[in-house]
Amino acid sequence: MKIVTWNINGVKARIEVLTAWLQESNPDIVCLQEIKSVDEQFPRAEIEALGYHVETHGQKGFNGIAILSKKSPDEVIRGLPGEDSDEQSRFIEAVFSTETGAIRVVSLYLPNGNPIDTEKFPYKLRWMERLERWAEDRLALEEPLILAGDYNVIAQPKDAKHPEAWLNDALFQPESRQALRRLENLGFTDATRSVTDEAGTYTFWDYQAGAWQKNNGIRIDYLMLSPEAANRLASASIEKHVRAWEKPSDHVPVAIALT
C-alpha cells in the first residue's frame, strides 16, 4: 500500500499537476493539504475519473485538507477536537479496511505560526498540544496509524539548507521543535528519517530567489507512523522531481509503502 502526503497549494490551480501525478505515481491513499477550496467547489470529478474516492474538509480561500483513496473509507472524521472555537479546516481522519486489518490515516495541516509575536504562534502551539492528546488516545487502539501532512516544523538544523535564516521563524522555534519531539516520544516514527540521515533532504522550496534551483529547501512534510504502522514500513521516499514540473506546488509529495 502506497500512502502519500502533499501540500498541493491550491487544488483548483493545480488540478492538472495533481491528475498527471496521480497517473504517474499511482498511490493508494493521498493526503492533501492547503486545498484552498470549499467542499462544494473541490474538483472531484477529475479525480474520481481516475478511480479515486474523495473526502474533503475544505475552507474558502485558504487551509483545507483532503484524503483521496482507491478504496472508500469505512469512517471519516473531520476536525481536531480540543478547541471548540477553532474554525480552521486542518484535520481529517479516515479508517480503511485492508486484508491485514484496519488502518487509520490522517491528513493534517499544522498552523504556520508566523509572526511569532502575534496570536498565531500560541495558536500553533495549542494545536500541537491538541494533536498530541488526540494521538495519545488513538495509540491506545494499537492499530496502524499514519499522521501525514505539512507540519510546518523544521525538526533539526539539517532539515534546512540555511538553518540560521529560520532562527526567528515559527517553524524553527524551540517550542515548535519540542512539540514535534513530544509527538515522536509517544512512539511515532518519522518515516523519512527512518530511511535516511542525509542533510539536503527537503520537501519544500520557496518560489522566491531561485530556491529550487539552488536547492535552498526545508523539510516540513512528514509521515509519522505508529509502532504498528512502522512495523509494516517497506520504503519511504520524496518525489522531488515534481517540483520541476510546470506550475508546481512549492511542496513535493512524500511517500511511504507499507507491506
Side-chain angles (χ1 to χ4, degrees):
M1 174 180 285
K2 183 177 184 179
I3 302 173
V4 181
T5 185
W6 191 8
N7 180 322
I8 194 67
N9 190 22
V11 68
K12 287 179 283 188
R14 271 169 258 287
I15 186 61
E16 293 180 0
V17 174
L18 176 59
T19 53
W21 171 79
L22 285 170
Q23 293 174 85
E24 177 193 271
S25 185
N26 194 31
D28 296 289
I29 299 173
V30 184
C31 296
L32 295 179
Q33 299 86 42
E34 217 172 346
I35 61 173
K36 299 180 181 179
S37 169
V38 294
D39 296 337
E40 297 77 14
Q41 294 178 7
F42 189 92
R44 61 177 59 242
E46 295 92 325
I47 296 167
E48 290 172 345
L50 298 176
Y52 285 90
H53 180 90
V54 177
E55 293 286 349
T56 62
H57 183 34
Q59 186 173 339
K60 186 176 182 179
F62 60 106
N63 299 333
I65 60 277
I67 296 180
L68 320 178
S69 55
K70 289 183 177 179
K71 185 175 183 178
S72 299
D74 302 325
E75 180 183 9
V76 178
I77 301 171
R78 292 169 174 82
L80 180 66
E83 191 169 320
D84 293 342
S85 61
D86 185 5
E87 297 180 349
Q88 297 189 30
S89 297
R90 296 182 173 276
F91 184 98
I92 186 170
E93 169 188 4
V95 180
F96 298 89
S97 294
T98 73
E99 293 179 357
T100 53
I103 185 168
R104 191 176 299 268
V105 178
V106 172
S107 180
L108 60 89
Y109 177 44
L110 246 151
N112 179 284
N114 284 301
I116 58 175
D117 59 352
T118 68
E119 169 57 25
K120 292 183 178 181
F121 189 55
Y123 170 64
K124 177 191 186 85
L125 298 180
R126 290 198 310 274
W127 207 97
M128 296 187 81
E129 289 172 3
R130 289 159 55 197
L131 178 63
E132 184 182 350
R133 292 195 300 269
W134 175 92
E136 197 167 15
D137 287 342
R138 286 291 187 263
L139 284 174
L141 298 175
E142 297 186 350
E143 63 189 5
L145 167 63
I146 296 95
L147 304 181
D150 176 358
Y151 280 68
N152 269 318
V153 177
I154 301 169
Q156 303 176 66
K158 68 180 177 182
D159 291 316
K161 179 71 172 288
H162 298 295
E164 69 280 359
W166 298 88
L167 291 177
N168 295 316
D169 195 285
L171 278 64
F172 199 50
Q173 290 305 294
E175 298 93 332
S176 306
R177 297 164 64 195
Q178 288 164 6
L180 185 59
R181 281 198 296 273
R182 287 198 305 271
L183 190 66
E184 287 191 82
N185 289 341
L186 291 178
F188 285 92
T189 296
D190 175 352
T192 301
R193 279 294 174 223
S194 74
V195 301
T196 179
D197 288 324
E198 287 188 16
T201 302
Y202 307 134
T203 64
F204 170 94
W205 297 260
D206 198 281
Y207 293 125
Q208 307 300 318
W212 165 247
Q213 291 78 7
K214 298 173 184 175
N215 196 30
N216 181 10
I218 55 176
R219 189 176 76 96
I220 55 176
D221 302 271
Y222 302 83
L223 294 115
M224 305 296 285
L225 313 181
S226 71
E228 294 78 11
N231 287 341
R232 294 173 53 182
L233 182 65
S235 65
S237 59
I238 297 173
E239 300 187 0
K240 183 178 176 180
H241 68 285
V242 179
R243 184 62 175 80
W245 288 5
E246 187 175 350
K247 206 173 181 181
S249 171
D250 40 9
H251 297 250
V252 294
V254 184
I256 59 170
L258 300 182
T259 57

